[in-house]
Amino acid sequence: MQKIIQHEKYGEIKYRESFWTGNAEVSIGGVPLNKTGKKTFEYMDGETMYPVEAKGNVMSGVTLYIGDEAFPVCEKAKWYEYVLSAFIFVFILVWGNVPALVKLLPLVGGAIGGGIAGLFFVLSLFGMRLVRKPVLKVLVFLACFAATILICWGIAMAILSAAK
């Protein structure tokens, strides 16, 4: 994830965080800052040294602190992003445990369905964090939901055909 903030005092502030490790990189005015920790840096403004610290992550929101000033870099996930993502997991959990629904559309439930739904819960939440427009967020959710249904249906059909 990379975010760029334009500030009148500091100019361009660029924040980059690794998806896999959570390590951060910050540059101010095109100059990379000296790293002193995983998310702590030093910024030299002429004669003055400022501590710079990034607090949070992609899900909880990221705030960059330069000296005494705070800059919101990435806002936290919205409530509807959590609700839509959780719907995937709840849907598979309920559908896979109601025999009448499984007769209509066989979906694998239990540990296999829960694992698949949990994976797509996370993918949906991260995917929705990458786009800004609510319509695109809903499209990301629908794509993850459809993929979950298709995978759980395919596994259920394989299990049913093997059982016959």
Side-chain angles (χ1 to χ4, degrees):
M1 173 197 71
Q2 179 173 312
K3 299 285 182 173
I4 298 173
I5 303 169
Q6 294 295 333
H7 190 267
E8 55 196 41
K9 179 180 177 183
Y10 299 109
E12 181 181 87
I13 301 171
K14 188 183 294 185
Y15 176 82
R16 183 186 325 215
E17 184 177 320
S18 170
F19 173 77
W20 300 106
T21 63
N23 285 330
E25 298 174 8
V26 178
S27 65
I28 297 177
V31 179
L33 302 186
N34 294 329
K35 196 169 197 169
T36 58
K38 188 173 180 179
K39 289 190 173 185
T40 56
F41 308 88
E42 292 178 339
Y43 171 60
M44 186 69 123
D45 184 21
E47 302 276 325
T48 311
M49 175 84 68
Y50 294 103
V52 177
E53 183 176 9
K55 290 188 179 178
N57 58 38
V58 175
M59 301 313 295
S60 66
V62 178
T63 303
L64 193 63
Y65 294 91
I66 302 175
D68 295 336
E69 296 180 73
F71 302 98
V73 175
C74 179
E75 60 188 40
K76 65 181 182 175
K78 304 264 191 286
W79 66 270
Y80 61 85
E81 294 172 350
Y82 286 114
V83 169
L84 288 174
S85 296
F87 177 78
I88 294 171
F89 186 78
V90 172
F91 182 86
I92 295 298
L93 179 76
V94 171
W95 196 281
N97 287 308
V98 177
L101 294 175
V102 173
K103 284 183 182 178
L104 290 173
L105 177 66
L107 295 178
V108 69
I112 297 170
I116 293 166
L119 172 70
F120 279 97
F121 167 85
V122 172
L123 289 175
S124 173
L125 196 53
F126 274 113
M128 285 191 278
R129 298 290 295 138
L130 295 176
V131 296
R132 290 186 178 264
K133 294 182 181 180
V135 172
L136 294 177
K137 291 177 187 282
V138 171
L139 289 176
V140 168
F141 157 73
L142 290 173
C144 289
F145 183 62
T148 304
I149 297 296
L150 286 173
I151 291 170
C152 287
W153 174 78
I155 292 173
M157 295 307 291
I159 290 171
L160 289 173
S161 67
K164 288 185 180 182

